[in-house]
Amino acid sequence: MTTTIDPDFERLLEYVRDARGFDYTGYRRPTLMRGFEKRMHAVGAADWGAYRAYLEHHPDEFSELFNTILINVTGFFRDKETWDVLAEDVVPKLLASREEPASIRVWSAGCASGEEPYTISMLLAEALGEEAYKDRVKIYATDVDEEALAQARDATYSARQLSEIPAELREKYFQRANGGFVFRNDLRRSVIFGRNDLHKDPPISRVDLLVSRNTLMYFAPEIQERILANFYFALNRGGYLIVGKAEALQKGRLFVPYNLKRRIFVKDGSAEPAFHVPRPAALPEMVDAGMEFGDAAFEHAPVAQIVVDTKNRVAAVNQVARALFGLKLKDVGRPLQDLEVSYRPVELRSLIEETRRNRRAAAVKDVEWEMPKGTRRSFDVSVALLAGVGNGLAGLSIAFVDSTAHRALEQQLEHARRELETAYEELQSTVEELETTNAELQSTNEELETTNEELQSTNEELETMNEELQSTNEELETMNDELRQRTDDTMRANAFLTSVLSSVQQAVIVVDRELRVIAWSSQASEILGLRDDEVEGRHVFNLDVGLPVSQLREPIRHVLNGVGDSPVTVEGHNRRGQAVRYSVVFAPLAGNEPDSIVGVILLLTADRID
Ligand SMILES: C[S@@+](CC[C@H](N)C(=O)[O-])C[C@H]1O[C@@H](n2cnc3c(N)ncnc32)[C@H](O)[C@@H]1O
């Protein structure tokens, strides 16, 4: 999958690198852009340039950005099947190859908040027994994200985070504390956390097991290659590398697949220059052919041969030569130049001359000859010196090796080679196409996996929000219960008061310090003709009733001032317009504060005046 380069975005990445030393330039662009866009949206920046300006003026935004980009999704026993293979197959093999007391070194690269290294820790403790584990195991757990590392060091997890751990391991390796579950400290000591940027920091060395899952996939392929080369360096020969289920290693490079489905690989060391060229076996000793068969061998040799003496006279012609060139035994003794063979198929005289002159064998290859029957043949013709007694020259041997079949084979071979080359090129291009398609699929897959990670992360965010909302809801429900309780209490108190007021013989009117009516009993309604809802809150002196309220002003003021007053009798009329004499008794309405008066209670009776 190709991503077009956006120069503004690249500049923004360079700015982040130069300002904070965090180099995201090697990360996959689509994932990275989504992370940045999320933050841009949050701070209201319209484009990459605006976001860069925002970062310049708000340094705190860097940590928000890093938190968004470094997705820390992880979990205990994440992708359980891989851990099953580790427990049942890889770890036993590893332990068998590292006999006691050899140390076992593990590297969890991109460990996030620690669930992965603690999972490894549990597996090894189970396989080795706790004592051997404590003596022999070192788990180096690294990440670039300091916040995640701090959580990992704390080793405290919620019940939900522990849910994927088999119950018996949970019981054995975690203790309740700090409102959560803490990984046991005595085992935790073998896990060493540290910050390591896979992109630029050197690797941990001499590692037997390297677990780096769902981390490589954030990097662009060329950076992945570099990181993998570091992993290769980090691992001991025979050590295992485990990557995430969506991550793939380039075929045929560095690591050998061990369990491809579970993304487990081995460093078998063959990628190191360790090839030995086998030495050829010693040749068997040559066997002496025996000289007594020399003549017969010459006569019946499969190669046409003519021997000439020092004066270029034919000294011998073997059977094949006679048949091939139409020579007869009687030609023996004749000068070679008198025979057709001296110039056909090749000019022998100059060749013989050259051999004699240089005292060295001479040869001509691929001499074409059209035979009398029209067939074409080719020969390799060679002239060799024949040594005589002492150091003298006895003559020359001329051999015609028929290379027709050989030539045809060579041509066929050449043809086949060319065809093979074409086929190979076609194959190569198909393989390359396949590889590209494969890489694209892989990349799409990793993209999807990344999106999945992000969705998972969003999901977790939503879950957290949900939990927060749930907690707010519970608080609101508690408050609601309290309010309901208070309303019930108030209603009960009101009913009680109304019942008290209606049980008193006299009409009861209560006013506050501003002389507004705050209680009006049913008897008051009966006598004066106004209902409580018509008078409550109104100024008592503004009421249009048969009671001459203005005459009560003085006694009410006295009571409010704490002087108290004696009952008053005034004349007026009742709701039916009948003349009545009102007897009014005043009492102060005590407030919550000691000696405070918050109103006046008026008790009145009405007697008709006949
Ligand atoms: C999705 S988590 C994987 C956690 C764990 N390995 C797992 O599979 O459950 C990816 C981790 O890679 C880390 N990471 C990202 N860039 C890194 C870098 N340059 N060097 C080291 N770790 C890096 C992130 O901080 C994050 O914790």
Side-chain angles (χ1 to χ4, degrees):
M1 186 176 287
T2 48
T3 313
T4 42
I5 301 284
D6 179 339
D8 287 344
F9 185 65
E10 298 305 311
R11 269 196 291 280
L12 175 57
L13 292 185
E14 281 158 20
Y15 168 70
V16 172
R17 182 194 60 202
D18 299 341
R20 281 301 166 101
F22 209 113
D23 192 356
Y24 287 120
T25 53
Y27 285 55
R28 275 173 199 287
R29 291 301 179 269
T31 322
L32 208 52
M33 283 179 163
R34 271 200 304 280
F36 272 80
E37 274 164 2
K38 207 158 153 188
R39 287 311 309 159
M40 278 165 61
H41 189 68
V43 303
D47 53 32
W48 307 124
Y51 186 59
R52 180 197 155 137
Y54 187 89
L55 280 169
E56 276 170 22
H57 293 106
H58 303 84
D60 288 352
E61 174 60 16
F62 277 104
S63 80
E64 297 292 335
L65 176 69
F66 296 163
N67 278 342
T68 309
I69 290 172
L70 299 176
I71 298 165
N72 299 131
V73 177
T74 184
F76 290 101
F77 290 95
R78 184 178 186 197
D79 304 326
K80 187 175 167 302
E81 297 79 6
T82 305
W83 296 105
D84 289 345
V85 175
L86 262 163
E88 285 155 22
D89 183 12
V90 175
V91 167
K93 282 211 175 95
L94 189 65
L95 299 187
S97 70
R98 307 272 310 156
E99 274 175 20
E100 211 172 347
S103 64
I104 292 150
R105 291 163 64 87
V106 182
W107 182 13
S108 164
C111 67
S113 41
E115 285 86 333
E116 185 177 88
Y118 291 132
T119 303
I120 302 170
S121 169
M122 285 186 268
L123 283 193
L124 289 176
E126 284 295 293
L128 282 166
E130 288 183 14
E131 284 320 302
Y133 164 89
K134 286 182 210 164
D135 285 347
R136 297 175 59 197
V137 173
K138 283 268 171 297
I139 301 172
Y140 299 90
T142 64
D143 201 287
V144 77
D145 187 343
E146 289 283 12
E147 268 182 44
L149 281 173
Q151 284 175 34
R153 287 190 184 103
D154 191 37
T156 307
Y157 300 94
S158 66
R160 195 163 60 86
Q161 286 170 308
L162 261 54
S163 62
E164 291 304 315
I165 307 179
E168 71 278 11
L169 298 186
R170 205 163 49 211
E171 292 290 305
K172 196 162 159 190
Y173 294 110
F174 286 85
Q175 290 164 338
R176 266 182 190 278
N178 315 334
F181 297 83
V182 184
F183 189 69
R184 258 175 52 195
N185 201 35
D186 52 336
L187 303 175
R188 150 85 180 78
R189 276 194 217 110
S190 302
V191 190
I192 302 119
F193 289 98
R195 186 179 187 280
N196 179 289
D197 184 346
L198 290 175
H199 191 4
K200 51 181 197 190
D201 292 332
I204 308 282
S205 60
R206 290 180 293 113
V207 169
D208 302 299
L209 175 64
L210 203 169
V211 183
S212 179
R213 302 163 72 228
N214 310 303
T215 302
L216 276 178
M217 63 189 182
Y218 292 100
F219 294 98
E222 58 280 11
I223 307 295
Q224 285 190 10
E225 283 284 289
R226 226 165 58 204
I227 296 175
L228 282 169
N230 277 350
F231 284 176
Y232 187 79
F233 168 79
L235 273 171
N236 286 328
R237 187 175 288 200
Y240 294 86
L241 166 69
I242 293 140
V243 296
K245 67 168 187 258
E247 293 164 326
L249 307 193
Q250 287 273 22
K251 215 174 144 213
R253 307 264 174 92
L254 302 180
F255 297 95
V256 179
Y258 179 75
N259 182 330
L260 210 48
K261 190 158 179 217
R262 301 291 161 224
R263 297 288 191 270
I264 303 175
F265 298 83
V266 173
K267 167 179 168 174
D268 72 348
S270 63
E272 283 161 339
F275 294 109
H276 301 286
V277 181
R279 290 169 67 88
L283 289 172
E285 275 182 26
M286 299 284 289
V287 179
D288 195 351
M291 292 305 291
E292 65 269 31
F293 297 111
D295 287 347
F298 173 77
E299 174 64 9
H300 300 290
V303 173
Q305 285 186 67
I306 300 171
V307 177
V308 293
D309 64 13
T310 47
K311 298 215 165 56
N312 280 353
R313 281 184 307 236
V314 177
V317 183
N318 77 353
Q319 200 181 46
V320 179
R322 291 199 297 275
L324 197 60
F325 301 118
L327 295 173
K328 305 276 183 295
L329 280 174
K330 65 175 188 234
D331 290 325
V332 174
R334 290 179 65 189
L336 180 70
Q337 68 215 43
D338 293 351
L339 305 177
E340 188 185 342
V341 71
S342 64
Y343 54 89
R344 206 191 315 266
V346 67
E347 181 53 65
L348 281 179
R349 287 163 299 191
S350 54
L351 206 58
I352 290 171
E353 199 48 44
E354 184 190 331
T355 310
R356 279 227 167 80
R357 194 174 51 247
N358 298 336
R359 297 188 72 77
R360 192 161 12 113
V364 190
K365 283 191 166 291
D366 293 338
V367 175
E368 293 273 337
W369 188 32
E370 183 145 359
M371 305 280 289
K373 286 186 186 150
T375 50
R376 292 185 75 80
R377 305 183 71 166
S378 60
F379 295 92
D380 292 344
V381 182
S382 58
V383 181
L385 298 162
L386 292 177
V389 186
N391 222 6
L393 187 65
L396 297 167
S397 158
I398 307 157
F400 298 81
V401 178
D402 188 344
S403 60
T404 315
H406 178 73
R407 208 46 51 236
L409 263 178
E410 257 183 7
Q411 277 167 2
Q412 280 173 15
L413 200 67
E414 177 63 14
H415 183 69
R417 200 181 56 78
R418 280 209 207 98
E419 279 189 347
L420 199 67
E421 243 171 38
T422 321
Y424 181 76
E425 272 165 21
E426 279 171 15
L427 191 71
Q428 187 67 19
S429 111
T430 316
V431 165
E432 273 168 21
E433 269 174 33
L434 259 176
E435 262 173 17
T436 320
T437 317
N438 215 11
E440 280 171 10
L441 278 174
Q442 181 60 31
S443 161
T444 314
N445 195 21
E446 289 184 7
E447 267 300 306
L448 281 173
E449 192 66 19
T450 318
T451 314
N452 200 21
E453 292 269 352
E454 284 167 359
L455 279 175
Q456 212 164 316
S457 167
T458 314
N459 203 19
E460 288 190 357
E461 272 171 35
L462 280 174
E463 250 175 52
T464 334
M465 279 169 65
N466 204 16
E467 283 193 357
E468 282 168 18
L469 279 174
Q470 214 165 313
S471 130
T472 315
N473 209 18
E474 278 168 13
E475 278 171 25
L476 281 173
E477 265 176 21
T478 316
M479 281 168 66
N480 216 10
D481 285 348
E482 281 173 16
L483 265 177
R484 200 172 301 132
Q485 181 63 38
R486 280 196 206 156
T487 310
D488 286 353
D489 289 351
T490 312
M491 280 170 71
R492 261 197 301 279
N494 253 346
F496 176 70
L497 197 65
T498 310
S499 142
V500 169
L501 288 181
S502 53
S503 310
V504 175
Q505 283 299 309
Q506 292 99 325
V508 182
I509 300 170
V510 184
V511 295
D512 63 13
R513 289 196 72 90
E514 275 73 45
L515 306 181
R516 281 189 300 260
V517 176
I518 54 177
W520 185 268
S521 74
S522 52
Q523 277 83 347
S525 301
E526 177 62 31
I527 298 170
L528 297 170
L530 287 179
R531 293 191 314 273
D532 52 356
D533 57 341
E534 292 171 309
V535 295
E536 264 171 23
R538 289 179 61 189
H539 202 283
V540 72
F541 294 133
N542 293 341
L543 298 180
D544 183 16
V545 287
L547 175 69
V549 280
S550 57
Q551 293 178 37
L552 306 178
R553 196 182 291 273
E554 273 308 296
I556 287 175
R557 183 168 306 134
H558 285 160
V559 175
L560 282 175
N561 292 338
V563 184
D565 217 320
S566 38
V568 170
T569 304
V570 288
E571 289 187 1
H573 55 266
N574 63 13
R575 71 182 167 92
R576 296 190 185 85
Q578 295 160 334
V580 289
R581 184 174 293 115
Y582 289 105
S583 303
V584 188
V585 176
F586 303 92
L589 178 66
N592 287 337
E593 299 297 316
D595 299 331
S596 68
I597 296 169
V598 295
V600 182
I601 305 166
L602 290 78
L603 298 169
L604 60 127
T605 44
D607 297 313
R608 279 194 42 197
I609 306 171
D610 295 318

